[in-house]
Amino acid sequence: MYGRFHILLLTLLCSLSACTPHAVREAKQTVQQSDSLWRAGQPYADSAQLAQAYETLGQWALFCPDEYAHACYHYGKLLRANENPVEAMQCFINATHSRTRDYHILGRVYSNMGDIAHWHGDFPLAYDLFERSAKMFLLSKDTLLYHYGLNNLAYELAEQGKKEKTLLLLDSLNGLCSDKGLLLKTFETKAEMYKIVGQYDSAVYYSHMLFNSGNHELTGLLIRAQAFSYMNERDSAVYYANYILSQSPNLLSQNGALYILTQEDDSKNVEDIRKTSADRSDVQKLIEIQQGKYAQAVHLLVQDLQRKPDWRWLYAIIGTVVIIGIGIFIYVRRKQKRHQLLSQQVKELTTMNYVAMQQYERIMQEHTDYTSKLVSQLEQNCHFFAKTDDFPNNLSWKDFDAMCKLINDNFGMLANKLQSIYHLSEKGVRLCILILMGVTDGKQLARMLFYSERGIRTSKNRLAKKLGTNSIELRNFLINLAINNASNETDSSFVYGSK
């Protein structure tokens, strides 16, 4: 009774793990499609289907941790794009607990978490998350993304006004990587750092370097506008602030630009200034709402980081291993009783296979010998016709039909095969017959077929190409075609002239 209970339990466990539900298979397909679109630089359009895949794989995360981690990443990015950082953060947290060993996806997950912490303004926490992201990219051997991660660390240090540490990290980074895109990001980091520490001329310099190198993102322009404002260069500050507003940037960029226009633009009248102030107030309200969401997301993350590890999954795995071990023990005991019978069957099958192999080799050798005889007979026929004084008249050369009949009778229906399989013209058939007879001299071929010497070379190459071979192997091809009995095949186990 004890043994039957454990066998039933083992069978149930195997059924749950092996028979994947249809919903799980669909969820995995959704994740695969999301990965493909992501690599192509396109978002996954069906948000409802992606959400369903995330929920379904969450229930089976123990059996498919990699797919679940990818689902968390894609759905989290979708939620971030839809301005829902709280649920996005929960997705990213779930990905870190998925026990996946896909370090590349974990690197991107931690990078998104760092972005959320950065926009909330918690730069030390963002630094810690970007550091984890960089380590994951290093484990996945993606050195380029690892170097981008180091720049993210430098940016968080810059936001905290740690000039020496920022420059030290950026200097080491410049020695490690020469990627142009990464170089531009370091310019942005330096521009932000110099703005934070009050070296506004250096901030303007690196923002110019960033723009002149091809990066026209508004982040660098906002740094330049703010630096000009701090330097009391009002006209330049107002110019860039107006440009930033005209490009409809994000709320933080709008707020920075509107602040500059409120404080520095002397060309506006009172009504314009009031309108600008009102616009800035509206933007600030939206930022407060957004910052509230980011605060909730960061609070959710901090709670998770402070939570004690849950070892129930380990106990479940140990219990599963014990149950599987018992099942394997029972299975092995039963197999041992049948081992002798199976061994005898294997010996018999081995003997039968050896006998069959011997028979096969004998048949192949007989076939090879037979084919060699056919080739030898065909070569004798060629010699008989080609070495006589009245060649090619002995082939009824002037009567094409009579010649084809003679060739068919003595050379395995070759003329019919050339006409029916390859649809050769009369001249093509005649050229093939002369080549088969061993006529290699271009002048002789040209004289017999009424071609020029150059024309005969061209015709020979075209003929070989039409037959699927080349001019060097053309005679061997014709011999093989003549000795082959099949009407639509030219290959055989023995190929004359092959090595």
Side-chain angles (χ1 to χ4, degrees):
M1 182 67 182
Y2 181 81
R4 291 182 178 178
F5 171 76
H6 280 81
I7 292 174
L8 180 61
L9 183 61
L10 178 62
T11 303
L12 178 61
L13 181 63
C14 292
S15 299
L16 288 175
S17 60
C19 300
T20 306
H22 179 68
V24 176
R25 291 196 296 271
E26 288 186 343
K28 288 183 177 181
Q29 291 176 357
T30 299
V31 171
Q32 290 175 357
Q33 294 173 2
S34 300
D35 287 338
S36 299
L37 292 172
W38 166 49
R39 294 187 187 97
Q42 301 176 7
Y44 190 80
D46 195 339
S47 58
Q49 190 171 0
L50 188 57
Q52 183 60 50
Y54 165 72
E55 293 292 338
T56 302
L57 291 174
Q59 301 172 5
W60 291 82
L62 182 64
F63 300 99
C64 45
D66 292 343
E67 291 85 352
Y68 179 55
H70 280 250
C72 292
Y73 171 70
H74 293 304
Y75 190 48
K77 282 190 63 179
L78 180 64
L79 291 170
R80 276 197 68 189
N82 292 331
E83 298 183 359
N84 192 346
V86 179
E87 293 188 20
M89 180 64 79
Q90 186 61 62
C91 290
F92 297 140
I93 291 172
N94 292 341
T96 63
H97 294 314
S98 64
R99 291 179 292 279
T100 180
R101 289 297 177 266
D102 189 338
Y103 297 114
H104 183 272
I105 205 68
L106 286 177
R108 291 186 176 273
V109 165
Y110 280 118
S111 179
N112 275 266
M113 296 167 76
D115 282 339
I116 294 175
H118 173 85
W119 288 114
H120 174 59
D122 194 337
F123 304 126
L125 178 60
Y127 181 92
D128 177 66
L129 293 169
F130 283 127
E131 185 176 33
R132 297 188 186 194
S133 173
K135 289 180 180 179
M136 293 297 106
F137 288 133
L138 188 61
L139 287 174
S140 69
K141 300 181 180 179
D142 192 332
T143 54
L144 181 59
L145 289 183
Y146 169 68
H147 294 149
Y148 271 94
L150 294 182
N151 179 72
N152 289 336
L153 295 178
Y155 199 92
E156 299 308 316
L157 292 174
E159 292 285 11
Q160 299 174 65
K162 297 179 180 180
K163 176 182 175 182
E164 290 76 13
K165 291 184 178 181
T166 303
L167 291 177
L168 182 63
L169 185 54
L170 291 178
D171 289 341
S172 65
L173 183 57
N174 289 332
L176 291 174
C177 183
S178 59
D179 182 74
K180 181 180 178 181
L182 179 59
L183 179 63
L184 295 181
K185 296 301 290 184
T186 61
F187 289 161
E188 181 183 321
T189 301
K190 288 181 179 180
E192 178 69 12
M193 179 201 68
Y194 283 119
K195 186 196 75 174
I196 294 296
V197 301
Q199 295 181 235
Y200 304 121
D201 53 346
S202 296
V204 171
Y205 170 77
Y206 279 105
S207 67
H208 274 295
M209 291 280 289
L210 186 65
F211 187 86
N212 293 336
S213 299
N215 186 315
H216 299 164
E217 294 181 4
L218 298 180
T219 303
L221 295 178
L222 179 61
I223 294 174
R224 189 186 307 181
Q226 291 171 333
F228 278 133
S229 176
Y230 293 136
M231 295 167 65
N232 291 322
E233 296 187 17
R234 295 186 174 185
D235 291 341
S236 297
V238 169
Y239 171 78
Y240 286 110
N242 281 318
Y243 178 78
I244 291 170
L245 282 180
S246 68
Q247 302 303 309
S248 300
N250 58 47
L251 293 176
L252 293 178
S253 297
Q254 286 186 12
N255 184 57
L258 288 170
Y259 175 80
I260 292 173
L261 294 176
T262 303
Q263 301 296 323
E264 307 292 348
D265 193 356
D266 295 333
S267 64
K268 292 184 176 181
N269 55 35
V270 176
E271 292 298 326
D272 291 337
I273 293 175
R274 288 177 179 175
K275 182 179 184 305
T276 302
S277 299
D279 291 341
R280 183 166 179 258
S281 298
D282 294 338
V283 170
Q284 286 180 327
K285 290 179 182 179
L286 295 175
I287 291 176
E288 289 178 3
I289 296 173
Q290 191 180 65
Q291 286 294 328
K293 295 179 181 179
Y294 280 117
Q296 295 178 35
V298 171
H299 179 69
L300 191 66
L301 173 61
V302 172
Q303 282 185 325
D304 180 76
L305 294 175
Q306 295 175 349
R307 185 179 304 162
K308 294 181 179 180
D310 186 1
W311 297 106
R312 288 179 295 179
W313 64 272
L314 180 60
Y315 304 145
I317 291 177
I318 294 175
T320 302
V321 170
V322 171
I323 294 173
I324 293 176
I326 294 173
I328 292 175
F329 175 76
I330 296 172
Y331 176 78
V332 170
R333 287 294 300 270
R334 289 184 175 181
K335 282 294 182 181
Q336 287 177 346
K337 296 179 181 179
R338 302 175 58 187
H339 178 70
Q340 185 175 3
L341 177 61
L342 291 175
S343 298
Q344 183 63 33
Q345 292 176 344
V346 169
K347 290 180 180 180
E348 292 178 358
L349 290 173
T350 302
T351 302
M352 293 172 62
N353 183 60
Y354 176 76
V355 172
M357 183 60 68
Q358 293 294 322
Q359 292 177 349
Y360 172 76
E361 291 178 355
R362 186 178 67 255
I363 293 172
M364 290 299 297
Q365 185 59 45
E366 291 175 354
H367 179 69
T368 301
D369 294 341
Y370 174 72
T371 306
S372 298
K373 291 179 181 180
L374 290 178
V375 173
S376 177
Q377 181 62 45
L378 188 141
E379 291 284 11
Q380 290 177 12
N381 291 345
C382 290
H383 185 270
F384 174 78
F385 285 104
K387 300 304 179 181
T388 58
D389 295 335
D390 59 344
F391 176 80
N393 294 326
N394 58 348
L395 293 176
S396 300
W397 184 254
K398 296 181 179 180
D399 187 344
F400 181 71
D401 292 335
M403 181 186 66
C404 288
K405 183 177 185 306
L406 188 147
I407 292 298
N408 287 333
D409 292 340
N410 293 276
F411 296 94
M413 303 298 293
L414 177 61
N416 279 356
K417 293 176 182 178
L418 292 172
Q419 291 175 309
S420 61
I421 299 175
Y422 298 101
H423 308 291
L424 296 188
S425 64
E426 178 181 337
K427 286 189 175 182
V429 174
R430 287 181 181 274
L431 179 56
C432 287
I433 292 172
L434 291 177
I435 292 172
L436 179 66
M437 294 300 164
V439 179
T440 59
D441 182 64
K443 292 182 179 180
Q444 186 179 1
L445 287 172
R447 186 177 63 254
M448 298 175 70
L449 293 173
F450 302 103
Y451 281 110
S452 65
E453 288 190 44
R454 181 178 298 178
I456 200 65
R457 287 195 299 270
T458 303
S459 298
K460 188 175 179 182
N461 289 330
R462 289 178 177 174
L463 175 64
K465 185 176 181 181
K466 187 171 184 179
L467 296 178
T469 182
N470 55 65
S471 59
I472 297 176
E473 296 294 329
L474 182 54
R475 187 170 187 272
N476 292 338
F477 177 87
L478 294 172
I479 292 174
N480 288 324
L481 181 61
I483 66 174
N484 197 323
N485 291 327
S487 62
N488 58 353
E489 296 288 340
T490 59
D491 294 331
S492 62
S493 61
F494 177 88
V495 181
Y496 176 75
S498 66
K499 298 181 180 179

